[in-house]
Amino acid sequence: MAVMDVGGTHVTAAKVDLGSRSVVAGQSFREPLNAGGSAEEILSALIRCASRLATAPGTHWAIAVPGPFDYESGTARHSAVGKFDALYGVDVRAALSPRLPGSAGVTFHNDAQAFLAGEWWAGAAQGHDRAVGVTLGTGVGSSFLIGGRTLSDGPGVPPEGRVDLLRYAGLPLEETVSRRAILRAYEHAADGDPGIDVRQIAERARGGDRVAAEVFSHTFRALGMVLGPWIAAFEPTILVVGGSIAASWDLVSGPLQEGLAETGSWAASAGKLERAQHLADAPLLGAAHLAAESRTAS
């Protein structure tokens, strides 16, 4: 199955082997993506990446994309969220379908839900009946899962299953936990230094930069404190963390654990905190799995 993972800074197209639950070797391609660009720029980047994949006529495409998005109709609903605003109201399915190589159909899936589905199907969350997934990148994505089924409400599940709708210190969570928030916090505390990215801040933290270390500590302790009550109520046996910022797991896991423990929730839930096994591929695997399941059900 052909899949794409659309992120805030890049897009990946790949082929997934459903039998082996893995990305086919040599069939994964990544292209830069400007989420703040025009609709045509964004769509062209997706087509350009997809065109690198070897596909046959009759191929189904499964695309993981961040919300807000009408996944059933394939229409973008991004507005004032700092990315993909130019796509608001665009029928992305209609725009992409005739231009995706070999396309015989396109389904869309929430990227955070695809991430956790991928880790449940083929990664860290295998064998866990109750799991929570959080993705850290341009924003905060989340998914709550029981028995392989994604939940959008119920005990311990935030509204719409979205952690990004929660608040910290009176502000939306992403004002503290996101790529832009980390950059802003470091630049403010370090009196400038524009042009740096999260990866460089992490490197400086490891190198003894106290300000950089404190930014990471504050950011992910805050995330743990916000997540804590929901984790306590949902009682997952694993919390899996992915997204590009999870690559700095040595700087994320400790503060996150501290924030979770501060409410007593993580100890009470007797759960595991783990980084994704498939840090780059989980959304691709999950999109393929969710698409295959939906096609079987129909």
Side-chain angles (χ1 to χ4, degrees):
M1 181 178 294
V3 294
M4 272 200 293
D5 176 25
V6 181
T9 59
H10 68 275
V11 55
T12 303
K15 187 174 291 185
V16 169
D17 185 324
L18 295 172
S20 64
R21 304 188 182 190
S22 63
V23 173
V24 177
Q27 288 295 299
S28 180
F29 304 96
R30 180 166 166 158
E31 293 275 347
L33 177 65
N34 176 15
S38 69
E40 184 56 34
E41 288 172 337
I42 295 169
L43 294 172
S44 293
L46 268 56
I47 297 300
R48 186 166 59 250
C49 189
S51 67
R52 299 177 63 184
L53 203 63
T55 56
T59 296
H60 180 86
W61 282 84
I63 302 177
V65 61
F69 195 95
D70 186 331
Y71 296 95
E72 188 67 28
S73 72
T75 304
R77 297 300 181 197
H78 307 91
S79 178
V81 294
K83 55 186 177 183
F84 303 120
D85 287 0
L87 289 178
Y88 181 80
V90 173
D91 185 337
V92 181
R93 176 180 283 116
L96 290 183
S97 291
R99 301 168 69 185
L100 292 174
S103 175
V106 181
T107 54
F108 294 91
H109 310 272
N110 177 272
D111 60 343
Q113 293 178 5
F115 159 76
L116 184 55
E119 287 293 319
W120 180 82
W121 186 53
Q126 277 189 303
H128 290 266
D129 184 59
R130 303 177 75 92
V132 174
V134 174
T135 56
L136 307 172
T138 54
V140 182
S142 57
S143 182
F144 292 72
L145 182 151
I146 295 180
R149 183 172 63 90
T150 300
L151 304 180
S152 58
D153 55 32
V157 181
E160 302 176 33
R162 291 174 55 187
V163 168
D164 66 297
L165 295 179
L166 304 180
R167 303 178 75 84
Y168 175 75
L171 297 171
L173 179 61
E174 290 186 346
E175 292 302 312
T176 300
V177 187
S178 65
R179 176 179 176 271
R180 70 179 183 278
I182 291 172
L183 298 181
R184 182 174 62 237
Y186 184 74
E187 290 172 11
H188 175 76
D191 295 323
D193 209 357
I196 194 171
D197 208 342
V198 174
R199 181 178 299 177
Q200 285 72 48
I201 297 174
E203 290 172 354
R204 293 186 181 189
R206 296 185 188 102
D209 184 325
R210 181 181 56 81
V211 172
E214 287 179 353
V215 167
F216 267 88
S217 178
H218 172 73
T219 298
F220 295 108
R221 184 171 170 272
L223 176 60
M225 292 173 65
V226 171
L227 279 176
W230 300 94
I231 294 290
F234 190 70
E235 297 184 325
T237 53
I238 190 167
L239 168 59
V240 187
V241 182
S244 59
I245 297 177
S248 300
W249 188 237
D250 56 320
L251 301 172
V252 171
S253 60
L256 178 55
Q257 184 86 52
E258 290 173 7
L260 289 164
E262 187 159 321
T263 63
S265 60
W266 193 244
S269 69
K272 298 168 63 179
L273 172 64
E274 291 193 15
R275 192 181 83 161
Q277 284 185 16
H278 305 287
L279 201 56
D281 292 343
L284 300 168
L285 296 169
H289 168 65
L290 292 172
E293 289 288 294
S294 64
R295 295 176 74 192
T296 300
S298 62

Coordinates of all heavy atoms in Angstrom, one line a residue, residues 100-179:
L100 N -1.8 11.6 -8.0 CA -1.0 10.6 -7.3 C -0.8 9.4 -8.2 O -1.7 8.9 -8.8 CB -1.7 10.2 -6.0 CG -1.9 11.2 -4.9 CD1 -2.8 10.6 -3.8 CD2 -0.5 11.6 -4.4
P101 N 0.4 9.0 -8.4 CA 0.7 7.9 -9.3 C 0.0 6.6 -9.0 O 0.0 6.1 -7.9 CB 2.3 7.7 -9.2 CG 2.6 8.4 -7.9 CD 1.7 9.5 -7.7
G102 N -0.7 6.1 -10.0 CA -1.4 4.8 -9.9 C -2.7 4.9 -9.0 O -3.3 3.8 -8.7
S103 N -3.1 6.1 -8.6 CA -4.2 6.2 -7.6 C -5.5 5.6 -8.0 O -6.0 6.0 -9.1 CB -4.3 7.6 -7.2 OG -5.4 7.8 -6.3
A104 N -6.0 4.7 -7.2 CA -7.4 4.2 -7.4 C -8.3 4.6 -6.2 O -9.4 4.1 -6.0 CB -7.4 2.7 -7.5
G105 N -7.8 5.5 -5.3 CA -8.5 5.9 -4.2 C -7.6 6.4 -3.1 O -6.4 6.1 -3.0
V106 N -8.1 7.4 -2.3 CA -7.3 8.0 -1.3 C -8.1 8.1 0.0 O -9.3 8.5 0.0 CB -6.9 9.5 -1.7 CG1 -6.1 10.1 -0.6 CG2 -6.2 9.5 -3.0
T107 N -7.5 7.7 1.1 CA -8.1 7.9 2.4 C -7.2 8.7 3.3 O -6.0 8.7 3.1 CB -8.4 6.5 3.2 OG1 -7.2 5.8 3.2 CG2 -9.4 5.7 2.4
F108 N -7.8 9.5 4.2 CA -7.1 10.4 5.1 C -7.2 10.0 6.5 O -8.3 9.5 6.9 CB -7.5 11.8 4.9 CG -7.3 12.4 3.5 CD1 -8.2 12.3 2.5 CD2 -6.0 13.0 3.3 CE1 -7.9 12.8 1.2 CE2 -5.8 13.6 2.0 CZ -6.7 13.4 1.0
H109 N -6.1 10.1 7.3 CA -6.1 9.7 8.7 C -5.4 10.7 9.5 O -4.4 11.3 9.1 CB -5.4 8.3 8.8 CG -5.9 7.3 7.8 ND1 -7.0 6.5 8.1 CD2 -5.6 7.0 6.5 CE1 -7.3 5.7 7.0 NE2 -6.4 6.0 6.0
N110 N -5.9 10.9 10.7 CA -5.2 11.8 11.6 C -3.8 11.3 11.9 O -3.6 10.1 12.2 CB -6.0 11.9 12.9 CG -5.3 12.8 13.9 OD1 -4.5 12.3 14.7 ND2 -5.7 14.1 13.9
D111 N -2.8 12.2 11.8 CA -1.4 11.8 11.9 C -1.1 11.2 13.3 O -0.4 10.2 13.4 CB -0.5 12.9 11.6 CG -0.6 14.1 12.4 OD1 -1.6 14.3 13.1 OD2 0.3 15.0 12.4
A112 N -1.6 11.8 14.4 CA -1.3 11.3 15.7 C -2.0 9.9 16.0 O -1.4 9.0 16.6 CB -1.8 12.3 16.8
Q113 N -3.2 9.8 15.4 CA -3.9 8.5 15.5 C -3.2 7.4 14.7 O -3.1 6.3 15.1 CB -5.3 8.6 15.1 CG -6.2 9.5 16.0 CD -7.6 9.7 15.6 OE1 -8.0 9.1 14.6 NE2 -8.4 10.5 16.3
A114 N -2.7 7.8 13.6 CA -1.9 6.9 12.7 C -0.6 6.5 13.4 O -0.2 5.3 13.4 CB -1.6 7.5 11.4
F115 N 0.0 7.5 14.1 CA 1.2 7.2 14.8 C 1.0 6.1 15.9 O 1.7 5.1 15.9 CB 1.7 8.4 15.5 CG 2.6 8.2 16.7 CD1 4.0 7.8 16.5 CD2 2.2 8.3 18.0 CE1 4.8 7.5 17.6 CE2 3.0 8.1 19.1 CZ 4.3 7.7 18.9
L116 N 0.0 6.3 16.7 CA -0.3 5.3 17.8 C -0.7 4.0 17.2 O -0.4 2.9 17.7 CB -1.3 5.8 18.8 CG -1.5 4.9 20.0 CD1 -0.2 4.5 20.7 CD2 -2.6 5.5 21.0
A117 N -1.6 4.0 16.1 CA -2.0 2.8 15.5 C -0.8 2.0 15.0 O -0.7 0.8 15.0 CB -3.0 3.1 14.3
G118 N 0.2 2.7 14.4 CA 1.4 2.1 13.9 C 2.2 1.4 15.0 O 2.7 0.3 14.9
E119 N 2.3 2.1 16.2 CA 3.1 1.6 17.3 C 2.3 0.4 17.9 O 2.9 -0.5 18.5 CB 3.4 2.7 18.3 CG 4.4 3.6 17.9 CD 5.8 3.0 17.8 OE1 6.2 2.2 18.7 OE2 6.5 3.3 16.8
W120 N 1.0 0.4 17.9 CA 0.2 -0.7 18.4 C 0.2 -1.9 17.5 O 0.3 -3.0 17.9 CB -1.3 -0.2 18.6 CG -2.2 -1.2 19.1 CD1 -2.4 -1.6 20.5 CD2 -3.1 -2.1 18.4 NE1 -3.3 -2.6 20.6 CE2 -3.8 -2.9 19.3 CE3 -3.4 -2.2 17.0 CZ2 -4.7 -3.9 18.9 CZ3 -4.3 -3.2 16.6 CH2 -5.0 -4.0 17.6
W121 N 0.2 -1.6 16.2 CA 0.3 -2.7 15.2 C 1.6 -3.3 15.1 O 1.7 -4.5 14.9 CB -0.2 -2.1 13.9 CG -0.4 -3.0 12.7 CD1 -1.2 -4.2 12.7 CD2 0.1 -2.9 11.4 NE1 -1.1 -4.7 11.5 CE2 -0.3 -4.0 10.6 CE3 1.0 -1.9 10.8 CZ2 0.0 -4.1 9.3 CZ3 1.3 -2.1 9.5 CH2 0.8 -3.2 8.7
A122 N 2.7 -2.5 15.2 CA 4.0 -3.0 14.8 C 5.1 -2.4 15.7 O 6.3 -2.5 15.3 CB 4.3 -2.7 13.4
G123 N 4.8 -1.9 16.9 CA 5.9 -1.2 17.6 C 5.8 -1.3 19.1 O 5.4 -2.4 19.6
A124 N 6.0 -0.3 19.8 CA 6.2 -0.3 21.3 C 4.9 -0.6 22.0 O 4.9 -1.2 23.1 CB 6.7 1.1 21.8
A125 N 3.7 -0.4 21.4 CA 2.4 -0.6 22.1 C 1.8 -1.9 21.7 O 0.7 -2.2 22.1 CB 1.4 0.5 21.7
Q126 N 2.6 -2.8 21.0 CA 2.0 -4.1 20.7 C 1.7 -4.9 22.0 O 2.5 -4.9 22.9 CB 3.0 -4.9 19.9 CG 3.0 -4.7 18.4 CD 3.9 -5.6 17.6 OE1 5.1 -5.8 17.9 NE2 3.3 -6.3 16.7
G127 N 0.6 -5.5 22.1 CA 0.2 -6.3 23.2 C -0.4 -5.5 24.3 O -0.8 -6.0 25.3
H128 N -0.6 -4.2 24.2 CA -1.2 -3.3 25.2 C -2.6 -3.0 24.8 O -2.9 -2.5 23.7 CB -0.4 -2.0 25.3 CG 0.9 -2.2 25.9 ND1 1.1 -2.0 27.3 CD2 2.1 -2.5 25.4 CE1 2.4 -2.2 27.6 NE2 3.0 -2.5 26.5
D129 N -3.6 -3.3 25.7 CA -5.0 -3.1 25.4 C -5.3 -1.6 25.4 O -6.1 -1.1 24.6 CB -5.9 -3.9 26.3 CG -7.3 -3.7 26.0 OD1 -7.7 -4.1 24.9 OD2 -8.1 -3.2 26.8
R130 N -4.7 -0.9 26.4 CA -5.0 0.5 26.6 C -3.7 1.3 26.4 O -2.7 1.0 27.1 CB -5.6 0.8 28.0 CG -6.8 0.0 28.3 CD -7.3 0.3 29.8 NE -7.9 1.6 29.9 CZ -9.2 1.8 29.8 NH1 -10.0 0.9 29.5 NH2 -9.7 3.1 29.9
A131 N -3.7 2.2 25.5 CA -2.4 2.9 25.2 C -2.8 4.4 24.9 O -3.8 4.7 24.3 CB -1.7 2.3 24.0
V132 N -1.8 5.2 25.2 CA -1.9 6.6 24.8 C -0.6 7.0 24.0 O 0.5 6.5 24.3 CB -1.9 7.5 26.1 CG1 -1.9 9.0 25.7 CG2 -3.2 7.3 26.9
G133 N -0.8 7.7 22.9 CA 0.3 8.2 22.1 C 0.3 9.7 22.1 O -0.7 10.4 22.0
V134 N 1.5 10.3 22.1 CA 1.7 11.7 22.0 C 2.8 12.0 21.0 O 3.9 11.3 21.1 CB 2.1 12.4 23.4 CG1 2.4 13.8 23.2 CG2 1.0 12.2 24.4
T135 N 2.6 12.9 20.1 CA 3.6 13.3 19.1 C 4.0 14.7 19.4 O 3.2 15.6 19.6 CB 3.1 13.1 17.7 OG1 1.9 13.9 17.5 CG2 2.8 11.7 17.4
L136 N 5.4 14.9 19.3 CA 6.0 16.2 19.6 C 6.7 16.8 18.4 O 7.6 16.2 17.9 CB 7.0 16.1 20.8 CG 6.4 15.4 22.1 CD1 7.6 15.2 23.0 CD2 5.3 16.3 22.7
G137 N 6.2 17.9 17.9 CA 6.8 18.4 16.7 C 6.4 19.9 16.6 O 6.6 20.7 17.5
T138 N 5.8 20.3 15.4 CA 5.3 21.6 15.3 C 4.2 21.9 16.3 O 4.0 23.1 16.6 CB 4.8 21.9 13.8 OG1 3.8 20.9 13.5 CG2 6.0 21.8 12.8
G139 N 3.6 20.9 16.7 CA 2.5 21.0 17.8 C 2.5 19.7 18.6 O 3.5 19.0 18.6
V140 N 1.5 19.5 19.3 CA 1.3 18.3 20.1 C 0.1 17.5 19.6 O -1.0 18.0 19.6 CB 1.0 18.6 21.6 CG1 0.9 17.4 22.4 CG2 2.1 19.5 22.2
G141 N 0.4 16.3 19.1 CA -0.7 15.4 18.7 C -0.9 14.4 19.7 O -0.1 14.1 20.6
S142 N -2.1 13.8 19.7 CA -2.4 12.7 20.7 C -3.4 11.7 20.2 O -4.2 12.0 19.3 CB -2.9 13.4 22.0 OG -4.1 14.2 21.7
S143 N -3.4 10.6 20.8 CA -4.3 9.5 20.5 C -4.5 8.6 21.7 O -3.6 8.3 22.5 CB -3.8 8.7 19.3 OG -4.8 7.7 19.0
F144 N -5.8 8.2 22.0 CA -6.1 7.3 23.1 C -6.8 6.1 22.5 O -7.7 6.2 21.7 CB -7.1 8.0 24.0 CG -6.5 9.2 24.8 CD1 -6.2 10.4 24.1 CD2 -6.2 9.1 26.1 CE1 -5.6 11.4 24.8 CE2 -5.6 10.1 26.8 CZ -5.3 11.3 26.1
L145 N -6.3 4.9 22.8 CA -6.7 3.7 22.1 C -7.0 2.6 23.1 O -6.3 2.4 24.1 CB -5.5 3.3 21.2 CG -5.6 2.1 20.3 CD1 -4.7 2.3 19.1 CD2 -5.1 0.9 21.1
I146 N -8.1 1.9 22.8 CA -8.4 0.7 23.6 C -8.7 -0.4 22.6 O -9.5 -0.3 21.7 CB -9.7 0.9 24.5 CG1 -9.4 1.9 25.6 CG2 -10.1 -0.5 25.1 CD1 -10.6 2.2 26.5
G147 N -8.0 -1.5 22.7 CA -8.2 -2.7 21.9 C -8.0 -2.4 20.4 O -8.7 -2.9 19.5
G148 N -7.1 -1.4 20.1 CA -6.8 -1.1 18.7 C -7.8 -0.1 18.2 O -7.7 0.4 17.0
R149 N -8.8 0.4 19.0 CA -9.8 1.3 18.5 C -9.5 2.7 19.1 O -9.3 2.9 20.3 CB -11.2 0.9 18.9 CG -12.3 1.8 18.4 CD -13.7 1.1 18.7 NE -13.9 0.9 20.1 CZ -14.5 1.9 20.9 NH1 -14.9 3.0 20.4 NH2 -14.7 1.6 22.2
T150 N -9.5 3.7 18.3 CA -9.2 5.1 18.7 C -10.4 5.7 19.3 O -11.5 5.6 18.8 CB -8.7 6.0 17.5 OG1 -7.5 5.4 17.0 CG2 -8.5 7.4 18.0
L151 N -10.3 6.4 20.5 CA -11.4 7.0 21.2 C -11.3 8.5 21.1 O -10.2 9.1 21.1 CB -11.4 6.6 22.6 CG -11.4 5.1 23.0 CD1 -11.4 4.9 24.5 CD2 -12.6 4.4 22.4
S152 N -12.5 9.2 20.9 CA -12.5 10.6 20.9 C -13.2 11.2 22.1 O -13.3 12.4 22.3 CB -13.2 11.1 19.6 OG -14.5 10.6 19.5
D153 N -13.8 10.3 23.0 CA -14.4 10.7 24.2 C -14.4 9.6 25.2 O -14.0 8.5 24.9 CB -15.8 11.3 23.9 CG -16.7 10.2 23.2 OD1 -16.5 9.0 23.4 OD2 -17.6 10.6 22.5
G154 N -14.9 9.8 26.4 CA -15.0 8.8 27.4 C -14.1 9.2 28.6 O -13.3 10.2 28.6
P155 N -14.1 8.4 29.7 CA -13.3 8.6 30.9 C -11.8 8.7 30.5 O -11.2 7.8 29.9 CB -13.6 7.4 31.8 CG -14.9 6.9 31.3 CD -15.0 7.2 29.8
G156 N -11.2 9.8 30.9 CA -9.7 10.0 30.7 C -9.4 10.4 29.3 O -8.2 10.6 29.1
V157 N -10.3 10.7 28.5 CA -10.0 11.2 27.1 C -10.4 12.6 27.0 O -11.5 13.0 27.2 CB -10.8 10.3 26.1 CG1 -10.5 10.8 24.7 CG2 -10.6 8.9 26.2
P158 N -9.4 13.5 26.6 CA -9.7 14.9 26.5 C -10.7 15.1 25.3 O -11.0 14.2 24.5 CB -8.3 15.5 26.1 CG -7.3 14.5 26.4 CD -8.0 13.2 26.3
P159 N -11.3 16.3 25.3 CA -12.3 16.6 24.2 C -11.7 16.3 22.8 O -10.6 16.7 22.5 CB -12.5 18.1 24.3 CG -12.3 18.4 25.8 CD -11.2 17.5 26.2
E160 N -12.4 15.5 22.0 CA -12.0 15.0 20.7 C -10.7 14.2 20.8 O -10.1 13.9 19.7 CB -11.8 16.2 19.8 CG -13.0 17.1 19.6 CD -12.7 18.3 18.7 OE1 -11.9 18.2 17.8 OE2 -13.3 19.4 19.0
G161 N -10.3 13.8 21.9 CA -9.0 13.0 22.1 C -7.8 13.9 21.8 O -6.7 13.4 21.6
R162 N -7.9 15.2 21.9 CA -6.9 16.1 21.6 C -6.3 16.8 22.8 O -6.9 17.7 23.4 CB -7.4 17.2 20.6 CG -7.8 16.6 19.2 CD -8.5 17.7 18.4 NE -7.7 18.9 18.3 CZ -8.1 20.0 17.7 NH1 -9.4 20.1 17.2 NH2 -7.3 21.1 17.6
V163 N -5.0 16.5 23.1 CA -4.3 17.1 24.1 C -4.0 18.6 23.8 O -3.9 19.4 24.7 CB -2.9 16.3 24.4 CG1 -2.0 17.1 25.3 CG2 -3.2 15.0 25.0
D164 N -3.9 18.9 22.5 CA -3.6 20.3 22.2 C -4.7 21.3 22.5 O -4.5 22.5 22.6 CB -3.3 20.4 20.7 CG -4.5 20.1 19.8 OD1 -5.0 18.9 19.9 OD2 -5.0 21.0 19.1
L165 N -5.9 20.7 22.9 CA -7.0 21.6 23.3 C -6.9 21.9 24.8 O -7.6 22.8 25.3 CB -8.3 20.9 23.0 CG -8.7 20.7 21.5 CD1 -10.0 20.1 21.4 CD2 -8.6 22.1 20.8
L166 N -6.0 21.3 25.5 CA -5.8 21.5 27.0 C -5.0 22.8 27.2 O -4.4 23.3 26.2 CB -5.1 20.3 27.6 CG -5.9 19.0 27.4 CD1 -5.1 17.8 28.1 CD2 -7.3 19.0 27.9
R167 N -4.9 23.2 28.4 CA -4.2 24.5 28.7 C -3.2 24.3 29.8 O -3.3 23.4 30.7 CB -5.2 25.5 29.1 CG -6.3 25.8 28.1 CD -7.3 26.8 28.5 NE -6.8 28.2 28.5 CZ -6.8 29.0 27.4 NH1 -7.2 28.5 26.2 NH2 -6.3 30.2 27.5
Y168 N -2.2 25.1 29.8 CA -1.2 25.1 30.8 C -0.9 26.6 31.2 O -0.7 27.4 30.3 CB 0.1 24.5 30.4 CG 1.3 24.6 31.4 CD1 1.3 23.8 32.5 CD2 2.3 25.5 31.2 CE1 2.3 23.9 33.5 CE2 3.3 25.7 32.1 CZ 3.3 24.9 33.2 OH 4.3 25.0 34.2
A169 N -0.9 26.9 32.5 CA -0.7 28.3 33.0 C -1.6 29.3 32.3 O -1.2 30.4 32.0 CB 0.8 28.7 32.8
G170 N -2.9 28.8 32.0 CA -3.9 29.7 31.5 C -3.8 29.9 30.0 O -4.6 30.6 29.4
L171 N -2.9 29.2 29.3 CA -2.7 29.4 27.9 C -2.9 28.0 27.2 O -2.7 27.0 27.8 CB -1.3 29.9 27.5 CG -1.0 31.3 28.1 CD1 0.5 31.7 27.8 CD2 -1.9 32.4 27.4
P172 N -3.2 28.0 25.9 CA -3.2 26.7 25.2 C -1.9 26.0 25.3 O -0.8 26.6 25.3 CB -3.4 27.1 23.7 CG -4.1 28.5 23.8 CD -3.5 29.1 25.0
L173 N -1.9 24.7 25.5 CA -0.7 23.9 25.7 C 0.4 24.1 24.7 O 1.6 24.1 25.1 CB -1.1 22.4 25.8 CG 0.0 21.4 26.0 CD1 0.7 21.6 27.4 CD2 -0.5 20.0 25.9
E174 N 0.0 24.3 23.5 CA 1.0 24.5 22.5 C 1.8 25.8 22.6 O 2.8 26.0 21.9 CB 0.4 24.3 21.1 CG 0.0 22.9 20.8 CD -0.4 22.6 19.4 OE1 -0.7 23.7 18.7 OE2 -0.5 21.5 18.9
E175 N 1.3 26.7 23.4 CA 2.1 27.9 23.7 C 3.3 27.6 24.6 O 4.2 28.4 24.8 CB 1.2 29.0 24.4 CG 0.2 29.5 23.5 CD 0.8 30.2 22.2 OE1 1.7 30.9 22.3 OE2 0.3 29.9 21.1
T176 N 3.3 26.4 25.2 CA 4.5 25.9 26.0 C 5.1 24.7 25.4 O 6.4 24.6 25.4 CB 4.0 25.6 27.4 OG1 3.4 26.7 28.0 CG2 5.1 25.1 28.3
V177 N 4.4 23.8 24.8 CA 4.9 22.6 24.2 C 4.7 22.5 22.7 O 3.6 22.1 22.3 CB 4.2 21.3 24.9 CG1 4.9 20.1 24.4 CG2 4.3 21.4 26.4
S178 N 5.7 22.9 22.0 CA 5.7 22.9 20.5 C 7.0 23.4 20.0 O 7.8 24.0 20.8 CB 4.6 23.8 19.9 OG 4.8 25.2 20.2
R179 N 7.3 23.2 18.8 CA 8.6 23.7 18.2 C 8.7 25.2 18.4 O 9.7 25.7 18.9 CB 8.7 23.3 16.8 CG 9.9 23.8 16.0 CD 9.9 23.4 14.6 NE 11.0 23.9 13.8 CZ 11.0 25.1 13.2 NH1 9.8 25.8 13.2 NH2 12.0 25.6 12.5

